Amino acid sequence: MKSLFKFIFIGLLLLASCKPDPEPEEITPPQLVSVDPANGAMDVSENMTRIVMTFNENVTLKTGYNITLNGSPVSDVQPGTNKELTITVSSLSVSTSYTLIIPANTVKGPTGVYLPTEIKITFKTYTPPVRTYSTEAQKVIDFLKSIYGTKTISGTMANVNWNTDEADWVKVQTGKYPALNCFDYVHHVFSPANWIDYSNTTVAENWWNNNGLVAIMWHWNVPKNINSGSSTEYAFYASNTNFDLSKISDTNSAEYKLIIKDIDIIAGYLKLLKNKNIPVIWRPLHEAAGNTNSYTGGKAWFWWGAKGAAPFKALWKLMFERLTTTHQLNNLIWVWTSQGNDPDWYPGDEYVDIAGRDLYPETNVHDSQIVEFNKVKTIINDHKMIALSECSGIPDPDKMMQNGDTWLWFMPWYGDYTRTDKYNGSTYWKSLFNNPAVITRDKMPSLK
């Protein structure tokens, strides 16, 4: 019996040894999983700087690759450790079709096997709304586009309304003027007076004639009591006035009539600048959403946002049409100020030239603000340039350029925000103006 078991055991061993060897595992080339922007995309931002391709495994490239975009070689292609291949592009044009080609046998997987087929990705860039600007305004826009992403423009805010006080202070501290100065029509209800007269454009003329950029905002004061026929008290905070913007669609309402009256007054002041060929970076109705979308119970700070997004956008479009069409003010470059969480408040590409963001950090005030930058970028689908339209501390330009929050310009608020070391101060302004990424007024071209 033992011999029988022994015989069976030896037989099984012989059978096992006769099994065929397993088939060798097939080695496959890498496969493209996705691409951003997607193949065939039709609304790609002209500000896009990267095409990101994701594969099913990490990839490398053969030496001497010949990757092209519209026939021109692409030199900056970086394989990553996260199965991505990043292609850096620059100087895309609007309303243009692009074709990216990676030839066959260029992309290699970790096993050494090349992708044997060509990769061909096509996309078309965004077609912006048709707008006609004055010659000088167009030159300003072209200049801004030429430096966006690589430089940042230095700016200061007028001390309350119609002056260059903060810019003059910066000049004393650093020996240089900032490139941009922002004025404010906050006291239009009192002008003309011996202390404020917006019809005297000398200060704006002097700034422009010295190659400075002229920006203007409008803290829009309205009567505290709109129902009073002879109100002498005014406010722009929603809590201080009963002005009801929801009545904007009622052309017989006191609110609508005052809106038209005030816009026409401001149009008269802006027309004085147009007649002197001065373009204006125009930033009305700022921070409209306030804290509405920030937390439960959040509210708009100003009356132009107190009734929600729809009336605000109606006001923006009414102002836009009245200033650009009725009053023919083609010297205006329109800046909409986002709160970073307010996509429903965006008036639309055809009514906006630049997006702004106002930020007032109390700690680490010179840090990069890439998170807030990207929030605005998402809201506008990267179709507009983005500026740090107000701030406390100015972000470190080196961090800005490294992290990607390449604000078109920065502008601290007046007073302590400009002058004290807590936020900026003399020493920091000097370091800013020694940074090659910062444009001061002496580095501005003539845009006349």
Side-chain angles (χ1 to χ4, degrees):
M1 181 64 69
K2 288 183 178 179
S3 297
L4 178 61
F5 281 126
K6 183 177 180 181
F7 178 79
I8 293 172
F9 179 71
I10 293 172
L12 290 172
L13 287 175
L14 289 172
L15 286 173
S17 66
C18 292
K19 284 184 179 180
D21 292 333
E23 292 290 331
E25 186 175 338
E26 183 180 2
I27 300 177
T28 59
Q31 299 297 315
L32 180 63
V33 176
S34 64
V35 60
D36 182 21
N39 188 26
M42 297 297 291
D43 195 30
V44 175
S45 170
E46 72 277 17
N47 298 316
M48 180 190 70
T49 58
R50 301 190 312 159
I51 300 172
V52 180
M53 314 184 83
T54 304
F55 292 82
N56 65 332
E57 55 189 352
N58 289 330
V59 296
T60 55
L61 299 172
K62 79 171 186 179
T63 303
Y65 59 81
N66 183 31
I67 299 174
T68 61
L69 183 65
N70 278 11
S72 297
V74 177
S75 58
D76 191 350
V77 185
Q78 299 295 329
T81 57
N82 51 355
K83 303 179 182 180
E84 290 184 348
L85 188 68
T86 301
I87 300 170
T88 300
V89 298
S90 62
S91 303
L92 298 182
S93 300
V94 297
S95 194
T96 302
S97 295
Y98 286 93
T99 301
L100 176 76
I101 293 180
I102 301 180
N105 300 309
T106 298
V107 179
K108 181 173 62 175
T111 60
V113 176
Y114 283 96
L115 180 61
T117 56
E118 174 187 87
I119 297 175
K120 182 177 181 180
I121 304 297
T122 63
F123 60 89
K124 185 175 181 180
T125 50
Y126 166 72
T127 300
V130 176
R131 291 275 304 283
T132 301
Y133 303 94
S134 69
T135 300
E136 294 77 16
Q138 186 64 61
K139 287 182 179 180
V140 170
I141 291 173
D142 292 343
F143 168 72
L144 297 178
K145 288 181 177 179
S146 74
I147 60 97
Y148 185 54
T150 60
K151 303 282 187 180
T152 183
I153 294 168
S154 56
T156 46
M157 179 67 204
N159 188 338
V160 182
N161 53 63
W162 206 232
N163 56 69
T164 58
D165 289 357
E166 303 306 286
D168 294 336
W169 180 86
V170 170
K171 171 63 163 61
V172 170
Q173 308 307 310
T174 67
K176 297 180 181 180
Y177 276 110
L180 175 148
N181 195 76
C182 186
F183 304 95
D184 193 344
Y185 285 135
V186 60
H187 290 139
H188 86 281
V189 293
F190 305 109
S191 176
N194 59 356
W195 60 275
I196 182 65
D197 184 359
Y198 295 122
S199 65
N200 183 348
T201 61
T202 302
V203 63
E205 291 179 61
N206 288 340
W207 191 260
W208 171 248
N209 289 336
N210 283 284
N211 292 342
L213 294 172
V214 174
I216 303 179
M217 61 187 301
W218 183 13
H219 280 87
W220 191 344
N221 270 298
V222 294
K224 287 187 175 182
N225 182 3
I226 188 61
N227 300 313
S228 171
S230 58
S231 178
T232 58
E233 294 185 308
Y234 301 90
F236 48 78
Y237 285 118
S239 58
N240 294 334
T241 176
N242 62 1
F243 193 93
D244 185 356
L245 186 59
S246 66
K247 296 180 180 179
I248 189 171
S249 58
D250 179 3
T251 57
N252 292 317
S253 67
E255 284 82 354
Y256 180 86
K257 291 177 180 179
L258 183 67
I259 286 170
I260 296 299
K261 175 186 174 183
D262 279 0
I263 290 176
D264 288 349
I265 289 171
I266 297 300
Y269 293 133
L270 291 169
K271 197 168 294 184
L272 295 174
L273 298 173
K274 178 192 174 183
N275 292 341
K276 293 174 181 177
N277 299 319
I278 300 175
V280 174
I281 296 173
W282 175 234
R283 192 170 75 98
L285 308 177
H286 65 294
E287 302 173 8
N291 287 327
T292 301
N293 298 331
S294 299
Y295 48 80
T296 302
K299 296 180 179 180
W301 304 314
F302 306 116
W303 63 260
W304 51 84
K307 296 300 179 178
F312 163 74
K313 288 190 291 187
L315 175 60
W316 183 281
K317 294 173 184 178
L318 174 63
M319 179 189 291
F320 182 93
E321 294 296 341
R322 194 150 187 95
L323 291 182
T324 60
T325 302
T326 304
H327 292 287
Q328 298 290 297
L329 290 169
N330 60 358
N331 63 321
L332 304 183
I333 298 168
W334 289 72
V335 183
W336 171 70
T337 310
S338 173
Q339 290 299 96
N341 56 7
D342 49 358
D344 292 344
W345 296 69
Y346 182 49
D349 287 352
E350 63 268 43
Y351 304 102
V352 174
D353 296 309
I354 296 168
R357 180 73 170 99
D358 295 356
L359 294 171
Y360 286 85
E362 287 292 326
T363 59
N364 302 316
V365 296
H366 301 310
D367 275 2
S368 163
Q369 294 290 342
I370 184 62
V371 172
E372 294 300 324
F373 185 90
N374 284 339
K375 287 179 183 179
V376 180
K377 188 175 180 178
T378 298
I379 291 171
I380 59 175
N381 201 20
D382 199 20
H383 289 328
K384 306 292 179 181
M385 296 176 285
I386 305 172
L388 188 54
S389 41
E390 288 180 27
C391 64
S392 53
I394 301 165
D396 181 338
D398 290 335
K399 292 180 180 179
M400 289 165 51
M401 298 304 160
Q402 178 181 351
N403 295 334
D405 51 325
T406 51
W407 305 99
L408 180 59
W409 71 76
F410 57 78
M411 190 196 77
W413 203 242
Y414 62 80
D416 286 350
Y417 291 109
T418 293
R419 304 189 183 203
T420 64
D421 292 339
K422 178 181 179 181
Y423 299 108
N424 296 296
S426 175
T427 301
Y428 190 66
W429 277 104
K430 290 176 183 176
S431 70
L432 283 172
F433 282 8
N434 285 324
N435 191 302
V438 176
I439 296 177
T440 49
R441 199 175 75 175
D442 57 296
K443 295 179 181 178
M444 286 288 297
S446 174
L447 301 172
K448 300 172 182 60

